[in-house]
Amino acid sequence: MSLPVGSRAWTSVAVLIAVLAVGACGPVASPSPSSSPAIPVLGTENFYADLLAQIGGSRVTVSSILNDPSADPHEYEASPATAKIVADSKLVIVNGIGYDDFIEKLLGASTKPDRVVINVQDILGVKDDVNVHVWYDPATMPKVAEATTAALAKLDPQNAAYFAEQKTKYLAALKPLNDKIAALKTKYAGAPIAFTENVVGYLTDAIGLKVLTPPEFMEAIESGTDPAPADVAAERDLITGHKVKALLHNSQVTSPLTEQIRELAVKNNVPVVAVAETIPPSFKTFQEWQLAQLDALERALAK
């Protein structure tokens, strides 16, 4: 879905309410959980909801808000249905850093003395001026998993051992991602790449790739404004001059300009790697999604 640069007036993102049984996240852990009522939990973004589902297993019912692969998460506007989901949730994970500010107002409108809110920005101890896409940092999700396990144990103490076992499984499922990152770093550290928008910067930094796109170009695209002509010319020169091995393109938030850059890369045989801000519906888990993107990046760098 494309909108003109400088105009990101999207319609409200549809709210997905997914009740996730442990069978969707792997075999039941030992010890088995008790049969008391499941805990309603919310991951504001669907990758945090996925984490809740994997660690909470059969002890939680999970909702997410930001999950539309065709909409700009930065421009989400809450609806009454969203407000009810927030009001009913006993554990909420928010990203922070200005990415999902709408949730703060909803939390304030439905206070619960026993609700636990995990703010990922606070866990990481980062300021408001960092790249908001912190889930692409390999160090982030293990920290969120630790905080989530502790929060669930607080809400449901009799199942603390179950949550700890589920967390172990979640962390084990992240290992193939870390192994792939290490392998790519060994082979491709220093390789030049271009972005349309700095979505996966933490990940490419971990691999050691060199981003040549002008920072001002990426910042303008992120804020929905027009990049300076000189920055556009510099970005185009990276493509037409074959100065980069791949273009990483935000497939979720596009504009006529970013589509022109993508088409220019295709025309000039520069591999394009599509990246997204939420888990696309074709993937079952955060780990599966991330590994698929890393595989696509590896194929591009190998050309």
Side-chain angles (χ1 to χ4, degrees):
M1 178 176 183
S2 298
L3 291 177
V5 171
S7 174
R8 291 192 176 191
W10 295 81
T11 56
S12 295
V13 181
V15 176
L16 172 67
I17 307 176
V19 180
L20 301 171
V22 69
C25 306
V28 175
S30 179
S32 298
S34 72
S35 58
S36 54
I39 306 166
V41 298
L42 169 67
T44 307
E45 292 78 17
N46 66 358
F47 40 84
Y48 295 135
D50 171 71
L51 181 149
L52 285 163
Q54 291 190 51
I55 295 178
S58 62
R59 292 298 308 122
V60 298
T61 56
V62 184
S63 302
S64 67
I65 298 172
L66 298 180
N67 45 53
D68 188 332
S70 65
D72 183 351
H74 302 269
E75 298 297 331
Y76 177 75
E77 294 182 5
S79 66
T82 308
K84 185 177 188 312
I85 292 172
V86 175
D88 292 343
S89 298
K90 300 191 71 173
L91 170 60
V92 179
I93 302 180
V94 304
N95 189 74
I97 325 178
Y99 191 76
D100 46 15
D101 282 348
F102 68 88
I103 196 71
E104 298 300 330
K105 185 178 295 185
L106 294 174
L107 288 168
S110 59
T111 57
K112 283 180 179 286
D114 59 342
R115 178 191 290 138
V116 179
V117 178
I118 296 174
N119 186 304
V120 176
Q121 179 178 8
D122 293 342
I123 291 174
L124 301 179
V126 297
K127 297 181 179 180
D128 291 338
D129 59 354
V130 303
N131 183 345
V132 301
H133 310 96
V134 289
W135 57 93
Y136 272 104
D137 185 337
T140 294
M141 298 309 264
K143 294 178 181 178
V144 180
E146 291 288 347
T148 297
T149 304
L152 288 170
K154 177 181 178 181
L155 292 168
D156 189 3
Q158 62 183 331
N159 286 302
Y162 172 73
F163 298 135
E165 186 70 21
Q166 293 293 102
K167 180 196 72 175
T168 298
K169 290 182 178 182
Y170 181 85
L171 297 178
L174 291 175
K175 186 177 184 302
L177 304 182
N178 295 326
D179 291 346
K180 175 68 76 172
I181 290 168
L184 292 175
K185 184 174 184 178
T186 298
K187 193 169 184 179
Y188 296 110
I193 59 172
F195 287 163
T196 56
E197 186 177 343
N198 189 2
V199 174
V200 297
Y202 292 110
L203 187 60
T204 56
D205 284 350
I207 296 170
L209 302 179
K210 187 175 182 181
V211 180
L212 299 187
T213 297
E216 296 80 7
F217 179 93
M218 294 185 288
E219 290 166 7
I221 295 298
E222 176 82 14
S223 63
T225 59
D226 294 319
D231 294 328
V232 176
E235 177 80 348
R236 292 176 61 87
D237 182 60
L238 294 175
I239 305 297
T240 58
H242 293 91
K243 297 176 181 178
V244 292
K245 292 183 68 67
L247 171 70
L248 278 69
H249 171 257
N250 185 349
S251 60
Q252 185 164 346
V253 183
T254 64
S255 71
L257 177 57
T258 61
E259 285 303 294
Q260 288 169 19
I261 296 297
R262 183 189 64 79
E263 291 167 5
L264 187 66
V266 172
K267 180 179 178 180
N268 284 270
N269 296 314
V270 174
V272 176
V273 180
V275 297
E277 298 191 41
T278 55
I279 305 176
S282 56
F283 298 104
K284 294 180 180 179
T285 65
F286 172 81
Q287 293 94 330
E288 181 183 322
W289 169 46
Q290 292 291 296
L291 191 58
Q293 291 186 135
L294 286 169
D295 287 342
L297 177 59
E298 181 177 33
R299 290 191 297 270
L301 294 172
K303 290 185 178 180

